[in-house]
Structure formats: structure tokens, C-alpha cells
Amino acid sequence: MAEFVGRRAELRELLGAACRAGLVVHGAGGIGKSRLVAELLRRLEPDQPGGRTVRVPGSATVDDVMIALGEPRPITEPVTLVVDDFATVPRPGGGGRAEPVDPALAGFLAGWVREPGPRRLVVTSRYPFALPGNAHRRLAELHLGPLTSGDGRRLASLLPGLAALPPGQQDRAWAFCGGHPRALEDLDTLLRQGGADFADVAGRIEDVLAANGIGDPLRWAGFDDPTAGRALAGAIATIVDEVLVHDLLEVRHHAARAGDLAGRLGDDEEAAAHHRRALAVDERLGRRAGPAGRHRLGLLPGDDDPAEAERHLRQALAVDAESGNRAGMASGLHRLGLVCTLTGRLPAAVALHCRAFATELALGSPDAPIELADLSRLRAELGDEAFRRAATEVLPEASMNGLIRMLDDFVTAADHRYN
């Protein structure tokens, strides 16, 4: 994690809300949520003598959280549970709030914030989210937006490629990156590892923004309405991210090929230098995009461990949700359902397959019958009552009769085919 810079107003707001049952910092991926929370916890530490902080990834299961918390016992010392990058998906009609990917973890967190005692919950997530029983109303929320120009210059001074630029060009970079820390760090890596000229890169990015209707990249900073400014800055960062990732992948590709060629020619020193450049890009993009980015770079491990597979799938599902890839979300939910079935968590598998089925129906996907087959098997194994109970965790009661009819029709059609 890079050095923390700026964010003084946001820190003051969070420190002022530290008496609440918990805190949620939400915002775009790479905007600096985890860094802000790390600095917040560092500043709160003196106020919690003898306390402990337990950190889990947002793709963790309830079992993972329980293992991290340790042996079950009454909590007497202050405990702060930190859930980083909580896995959620946008929910239509949810009032702007997302839905946790794992209902069991959502229920655990709701119980955590309601339980009396010296405990606190700190969550980072892409979206504000709902918890069962409206437990999220007990949490203070902060929407983390782009860096101010001053904080942008402070971050640039810590990045060697950007630190070498004059202040005017640093401000230009801050503007066309939408004040997004991750975009500035990607740009720094491109300048250092790709040998790119800043003026060329800046001109190309600004041309791409203009082609997308953004003629003045600095316009986002001039809005009186901070919500509108954040929205435009987010759109700019998304466009710029595509350009920078493409360029960095090109740098990695050429560096790896040059390293292989130098190695075949016997120049070990030059080969090592090229491979270091490729590894620097791997580190930048792999850390930024998690499993989705690692897959694009050919780095996804072939691990057969179901728990590891589930963690990767949940992280990839969050990436698909952020990018609006509903087909990818349906596939991810289906595969998570298979993992839950494999590990004996049949009610969780029912909920995941129901969500996948609803998404596939909305998309008109040809995979919907596959989902019905999986749901039919789960219904037969659990029995009607337990199946209905699991399905109504994610489907409204009004939809249940329709689902049961479709499952009955599916089973009848299957029987006709085999008789």
C-alpha cells in the first residue's frame, strides 16, 4: 500500500463518527478507500488500549470471519472488524443500495453491529449497501471521491515518474485522470517502465476523452454539485483506465519478448532488465484488478481448492458488477452455486442459482435451462420446504409460485424425454 497523502476533510468526518457502531467508506475501485481506512485505524489505535483489529477480505465467508476472530468467547476487549472491498452487486429498486453477494455474511455483519459490547465494524465497498433488518442505518457512511488538486500534487511528488514533471503537467495529469489515485499510479508506471513521453500520453488521452464528449477534462472539478462532479470524474477515470491498462499490457508484452530474445542471445543482464519491467507491470495491474486483471495477464493460479476458487469467483463477480457485465455476473453466480453445492452448502447454492436464473431470464440467455436443472436437483435433495426457505432469501414471495411451476414443468418435460 502506497504512502497515505491528504484526505484531511474525509479523515475529520470519519474520526467524528467513530462513536457509531461502524463506518462504511464506499467509492470507485482504486479511489483510496483501503488507504484511508488504514490511516483512520492508525489514528484510532491510541483510543483503544488493549484492543485488536481483525481484517478479512470482502469475499470472505462467515467461516473465514470466525476463524479470523479466533476462539468463540465473550468479547471483553475492543475489537474492530474490518471488511475490505465488501462483495456487493447493484440491486434494481434498492434505493441506490447494493445487495451483499453472500447473504450469510450480511446476516453476520448485521448481528455484529447490533450486539452490545466494545466492537466496531469498518467496511470498504464500491457501493453503499443494505444489511438485514436495516442494520446498515447504524453505520456512518462516507462516499470517497476524487483527490483535490493539492492532494493530487502530493501524491505525484511520491511517484518517481510524475515527480519529475513540472507542477503544470502534474495538474494536467490530475485533471485528465479524474483525480483518481489508481489512474495516477498507472500513469506513473507507464512513464517509468514504458519510457513514454508525458506530452504524447496526455495528448492521446485527452483526444480519447474528447471523442467521448469530454472536451475539458478539468470540468469535473468545477461543479457546484459534488455528486455531479464525482460522477463525471468517475466517467473520466473509467475511460482513462482503459487507455492506460491497454498501454501497460503492451509494455509488458514487448518487455517480456525483449527479455526472452536477450536471454536466447546470451545477454543475461539485458534479459533480467526487461523481465523486471514486465514484472513491474504485472505487480501494478495484478494488484489493481485482482483475479480479473491477473487473468488478463495470464497469472490466474490453477488452484483446485474450493475455498480458493470461491474467493476468486466472488472477487471476479464484484469486478463484473462494477463494469455492468450482467452476463459475466450470471456466469459467476452459477459457478459460485456449483462451489457451494460441492462443499455441502445447499441453501446458499439455491440462493446463488436463483439469482443466476433471474439474471439469465432478464438477458434472454440460453443458459437458463441449465440453471433450472441445478435448481431441480437441489430441490429434490433439500425437500420443498427447505428449498422454498432458501429461495425466498433472494426472491420475493410473489415470484416463488412462478419458479415452482417452471421447475415442475422442467421435471415433467425431462420425464417425457426419458420415457
Side-chain angles (χ1 to χ4, degrees):
M1 189 177 292
E3 187 174 339
F4 180 81
V5 295
R7 300 293 196 187
R8 293 179 182 178
E10 293 90 342
L11 266 175
R12 282 196 299 270
E13 183 175 340
L14 290 173
L15 288 167
C19 58
R20 300 281 292 274
L23 307 167
V24 177
V25 180
H26 62 88
I31 200 68
K33 303 182 293 293
S34 298
R35 293 176 193 174
L36 177 60
V37 163
E39 179 65 15
L40 172 71
L41 294 175
R42 187 186 70 79
R43 297 194 182 202
L44 289 174
E45 193 172 356
D47 298 331
Q48 289 189 310
R52 62 192 178 109
T53 299
V54 177
R55 294 176 175 84
V56 296
S59 56
T61 63
V62 173
D63 287 343
D64 295 330
V65 176
M66 295 300 293
I67 291 169
L69 287 170
E71 290 295 322
R73 55 187 170 85
I75 293 178
T76 55
E77 78 277 21
V79 177
T80 299
L81 175 61
V82 182
V83 182
D84 192 30
D85 198 14
F86 188 34
T88 61
V89 290
R91 182 178 61 177
R97 294 194 172 273
E99 174 184 318
V101 169
D102 185 346
L105 181 57
F108 177 89
L109 297 181
W112 178 271
V113 299
R114 288 198 190 100
E115 191 75 21
R119 57 179 75 200
R120 176 189 287 131
L121 176 66
V122 179
V123 181
T124 68
S125 65
R126 284 180 170 83
Y127 312 101
F129 53 85
L131 290 177
N134 290 322
H136 56 276
R137 293 180 179 173
R138 296 171 178 255
L139 308 175
E141 295 181 341
L142 172 71
H143 187 171
L144 190 61
L147 294 169
T148 64
S149 58
D151 287 350
R153 281 193 295 272
R154 292 184 189 96
L155 177 58
S157 70
L158 300 174
L159 302 171
L162 294 177
L165 300 175
Q169 290 187 331
Q170 290 178 352
D171 287 342
R172 184 182 178 187
W174 164 78
F176 70 63
C177 285
H180 198 287
R182 185 180 71 194
L184 287 165
E185 290 165 355
D186 286 348
L187 175 62
D188 174 74
T189 302
L190 181 63
L191 295 176
R192 287 186 295 113
Q193 304 300 336
D197 178 72
F198 174 78
D200 290 343
V201 175
R204 190 155 46 82
I205 287 175
E206 288 165 349
D207 287 345
V208 172
L209 291 173
N212 282 272
I214 304 171
D216 178 12
L218 189 56
R219 189 167 139 243
W220 65 266
F223 278 93
D224 292 331
D225 179 4
T227 301
R230 279 196 300 260
L232 181 57
I236 289 172
T238 299
I239 295 168
V240 172
D241 179 72
E242 286 295 318
V243 176
L244 293 174
V245 169
H246 176 272
D247 286 0
L248 285 169
L249 288 171
E250 287 289 315
V251 170
R252 178 190 181 275
H253 173 71
H254 292 302
R257 289 190 63 182
D260 291 343
L261 178 60
R264 287 196 297 271
L265 294 174
D267 191 338
D268 294 339
E269 187 174 339
E270 184 176 349
H274 287 303
H275 285 306
R276 279 195 298 272
R277 288 172 55 220
L279 285 171
V281 175
D282 283 351
E283 181 187 24
R284 175 91 281 267
L285 292 181
R287 183 174 66 240
R288 188 220 64 179
R294 293 177 68 84
H295 179 70
R296 290 174 71 179
L297 294 169
L299 298 175
L300 191 64
D303 197 327
D304 293 329
D305 176 24
E308 186 69 14
E310 183 170 348
R311 277 191 287 273
H312 285 310
L313 286 169
R314 289 191 186 279
Q315 290 167 356
L317 182 61
V319 172
D320 285 330
E322 184 185 21
S323 63
N325 180 8
R326 298 182 70 197
M329 288 168 59
S331 174
L333 290 165
H334 172 79
R335 293 166 68 192
L336 274 170
L338 296 179
V339 172
C340 287
T341 301
L342 178 68
T343 53
R345 290 171 292 154
L346 301 189
V350 170
L352 289 161
H353 282 299
C354 282
R355 291 175 59 196
F357 182 54
T359 305
E360 287 160 358
L361 281 181
L363 294 173
S365 169
D367 292 331
I370 297 174
E371 228 64 61
L372 283 175
D374 288 317
L375 287 167
S376 294
R377 284 192 288 270
L378 289 165
R379 181 188 179 193
E381 194 156 350
L382 283 169
D384 273 347
E385 185 177 345
F387 178 84
R388 275 182 171 272
R389 200 161 48 241
T392 51
E393 288 290 324
V394 293
L395 293 178
E397 186 65 39
S399 300
M400 277 305 303
N401 290 336
L403 175 62
I404 296 299
R405 277 198 304 272
M406 282 189 277
L407 289 173
D408 288 341
D409 290 345
F410 179 84
V411 171
T412 302
D415 288 343
H416 285 320
R417 282 196 300 271
Y418 290 116
N419 290 329

